[in-house]
Amino acid sequence: MKDLKQYTHVFLIGIGGIGMSALARYFNQKGLTVSGYDRTESELTKTLSAEGIEVFYSEASGTHIQNLSKESTLVIYTPAISKTSKFFDYFKTQDFEVYKRSVVLGIITKHLPTLAVAGTHGKTTTSAILVHILKVAGVKLTAFCGGILQNYKTNYIGDGEEVVVVEADEFDRSFLQLHPTAAVINSMDADHLDIYETSQKLVDTFKEFSRLVPKGHLYAKSGLGLDAYTLGIGEEADVQVNHISIENGSYRFNFKQGEVHLTGLQFSLPGRHNLFNAAAALALAVDFKPELAKEFGEALTSFEGVQRRFNYIYKSDDLVVIDDYAHHPKEIDAVYQAISEMHSEKKSVVIFQPHLFSRTQDFAEDFARSLAQFDEVNLLDIYPAREEPIEGVTSDFLLNLIQHPSKHLMIKTDIQHRIATAKDEVIVLLGAGDIGVEAAKISKHLHETI
């Protein structure tokens, strides 16, 4: 690839993706002409358009790409794009510079201090917390986030290049393109077996990523067996959170990392998994600038969360509605733990949209176990994303595995009625597909009518 400064145009195939849109915003801020394609319009692509980025929703829009110069245009694609993409085929056959998102992100961060957040769960929330506490403490940073930060209503921060924050994404082994100066690994649970085939190959790739981190600057959850400083909640570890209590719906706790001791910290995101995410973010921030440890700890109080990560879209004495991106059994376990801790007096109702046929097949029994913890289980059809159907793998197949007296198949149009008839219940909408669109509609409806 040429030096990035030699390009005047950037075209992104799959620009509406959360990671791709952050790159689009980065290049747009740098003054390049940015455009891209996505299959469907979304709130995110509408926002990109409002920021001056041209977005196409049909591959019939061939005139635009034919006017692009291959000498001055960088083409970036997400591995989630269709193999039959006409745009991708055109750029490849016309000898444009075409690169995966991960390669470009690796080049951007190569010569800059980079804090990377890895793990099969918790990447987005941890990196968002890290961005927030660095920013509040006055650090000039660039950040590419995998979610919309509630505090800033964006997934990209471009305040400066004192440090870069990135999610180290294991999908398609993308994180091996990065050059981290410090990193955290939150988890290595089996996932993306359509890519890795076995859980051991996934673990081996995480270990390969860990070797990219300079010695003494890697942090990992206790029990992962990595050559790293360990992170623990209420247990002995190199970095630990202890003296935990809940006051007015928020956690109070102490934090210890080497010579750094912080007491009386406050953090409002529910769930022990989010408390761990806060500790992981603090560990990386302190690693980068230990002299600002006190400011980092105090900044946790004002963190408002990430869209679709345990978002309260409605909350009253009788009804609580939560929207969350959870799409893996371990993530569902974490959501249930948070609900049972914060809302133990209410009936828990889950509405789950399975994500990918392959993931549903690979973890069917684990999904059945994790969903059965709720007082009522409702399943939507499987969201296919990039996949073709797998024979016999349906929501009905998953429902039959769930040992539960109150379980149902549901269609999207039933969700609003189910919420309208709720009484003293917590209803949580879970999934990485388009259930988030339904959650946004429901939030708007509830706040307009109740």
Side-chain angles (χ1 to χ4, degrees):
M1 183 188 294
K2 295 182 290 194
D3 188 294
L4 292 176
K5 294 178 181 177
Q6 295 184 41
Y7 298 105
T8 60
H9 290 71
V10 176
F11 190 93
L12 298 99
I13 307 173
I15 195 170
I18 196 71
M20 293 287 280
S21 57
L23 270 182
R25 285 170 158 157
Y26 169 82
F27 285 111
N28 192 46
Q29 186 189 53
K30 293 292 184 183
L32 281 72
T33 301
V34 180
S35 56
Y37 161 77
D38 211 277
R39 285 186 303 174
T40 55
E41 187 178 42
S42 65
E43 289 303 315
L44 186 49
T45 59
K46 289 177 185 177
T47 306
L48 293 179
S49 297
E51 294 170 8
I53 296 170
E54 192 169 14
V55 182
F56 302 94
Y57 302 101
S58 168
E59 291 189 299
S61 312
T63 305
H64 174 79
I65 65 170
Q66 289 168 7
N67 290 333
L68 295 175
S69 164
K70 63 184 175 185
E71 285 75 27
S72 60
T73 301
L74 171 63
V75 180
I76 307 171
Y77 71 96
T78 168
I81 65 165
S82 168
K83 295 176 183 177
T84 60
S85 168
K86 293 178 182 177
F87 279 169
F88 182 79
D89 184 63
Y90 172 83
F91 286 123
K92 292 293 285 187
T93 57
Q94 295 299 314
D95 294 324
F96 276 73
E97 298 264 6
V98 182
Y99 295 97
K100 278 185 185 179
R101 170 186 171 273
S102 57
V103 173
V104 177
L105 194 58
I107 290 170
I108 290 171
T109 61
K110 187 172 183 179
H111 301 296
L112 296 171
T114 300
L115 306 180
V117 179
T120 44
H121 325 299
K123 289 187 296 294
T124 296
T125 301
T126 302
S127 58
I129 298 168
L130 177 58
V131 168
H132 178 69
I133 62 178
L134 289 170
K135 188 173 171 65
V136 170
V139 176
K140 302 301 181 184
L141 72 154
T142 295
F144 301 91
C145 298
I148 304 297
L149 281 67
Q150 297 280 49
N151 291 79
Y152 312 105
K153 309 306 179 190
T154 185
N155 57 339
Y156 169 71
I157 302 292
D159 293 341
E161 295 183 338
E162 194 175 345
V163 69
V164 179
V165 174
V166 296
E167 288 190 32
D169 189 2
E170 75 280 2
F171 175 74
D172 204 31
R173 297 177 172 84
S174 294
F175 57 180
L176 299 182
Q177 301 289 339
L178 297 174
H179 308 274
T181 48
V184 64
I185 299 177
N186 286 353
S187 54
M188 299 190 304
D189 294 311
D191 199 4
H192 303 302
L193 298 186
D194 54 326
I195 301 293
Y196 288 98
E197 298 178 346
T198 68
S199 58
Q200 186 57 52
K201 288 181 181 179
L202 174 72
V203 169
D204 290 344
T205 307
F206 268 102
K207 289 181 177 178
E208 187 177 349
F209 168 75
S210 74
R211 291 191 285 272
L212 299 176
V213 185
K215 190 170 180 61
H217 296 279
L218 177 66
Y219 302 82
K221 186 175 183 179
S222 294
L224 295 186
L226 296 170
D227 183 12
Y229 290 118
T230 55
L231 285 159
I233 305 297
E235 61 179 309
E236 284 298 318
D238 298 315
V239 180
Q240 58 182 273
V241 166
N242 51 37
H243 295 92
I244 304 163
S245 63
I246 298 175
E247 297 180 17
N248 299 320
S250 294
Y251 287 113
R252 290 274 187 174
F253 62 97
N254 296 345
F255 173 86
K256 181 178 180 292
Q257 177 176 348
E259 298 302 313
V260 173
H261 296 254
L262 303 174
T263 61
L265 300 183
Q266 183 176 336
F267 188 64
S268 61
L269 287 198
R272 290 295 179 107
H273 63 297
N274 280 321
L275 193 55
F276 178 88
N277 293 336
L282 267 177
L284 282 184
V286 170
D287 184 282
F288 175 63
K289 275 191 179 294
E291 67 273 19
L292 293 178
K294 184 172 182 290
E295 287 86 345
F296 294 145
E298 291 173 347
L300 287 175
T301 305
S302 57
F303 180 69
E304 296 175 6
V306 184
Q307 286 184 15
R308 301 224 60 230
R309 269 56 173 196
F310 212 93
N311 290 153
Y312 286 101
I313 61 177
Y314 186 79
K315 197 173 184 181
S316 71
D317 291 340
D318 298 324
L319 174 65
V320 175
V321 184
I322 297 166
D323 176 35
D324 194 280
Y325 189 73
H327 56 283
H328 184 281
K330 291 287 187 181
E331 295 166 350
I332 296 172
D333 288 343
V335 170
Y336 178 77
Q337 184 275 324
I339 289 173
S340 60
E341 185 174 53
M342 296 295 179
H343 304 286
S344 58
E345 76 287 357
K346 287 182 166 58
K347 176 183 176 181
S348 61
V349 178
V350 63
I351 300 174
F352 178 55
Q353 181 187 50
H355 184 262
L356 299 180
F357 297 103
S358 60
R359 182 182 283 122
T360 305
Q361 181 181 53
D362 291 337
F363 303 108
E365 291 185 0
D366 292 327
F367 275 123
R369 175 200 51 77
S370 61
L371 290 166
Q373 298 174 96
F374 292 85
D375 296 319
E376 178 184 317
V377 181
N378 301 278
L379 297 184
L380 298 176
D381 285 342
I382 296 172
Y383 186 80
R386 58 186 178 270
E387 292 186 338
E388 295 298 321
I390 297 173
E391 186 177 355
V393 180
T394 63
S395 289
D396 189 47
F397 152 76
L398 178 56
L399 191 76
N400 287 332
L401 294 177
I402 300 172
Q403 301 298 311
H404 201 289
S406 182
K407 59 180 183 178
H408 318 275
L409 294 178
M410 178 181 280
I411 58 176
K412 292 175 190 172
T413 52
D414 292 338
I415 298 175
Q416 195 160 297
H417 175 72
R418 178 63 188 86
I419 291 172
T421 58
K423 185 176 181 180
D424 202 27
E425 294 176 345
V426 177
I427 297 181
V428 57
L429 311 178
L430 296 184
D434 59 3
I435 191 172
V437 176
E438 299 305 312
K441 294 177 186 175
I442 288 163
S443 177
K444 184 174 185 293
H445 172 76
L446 288 172
H447 285 93
E448 287 176 350
T449 59
I450 297 180

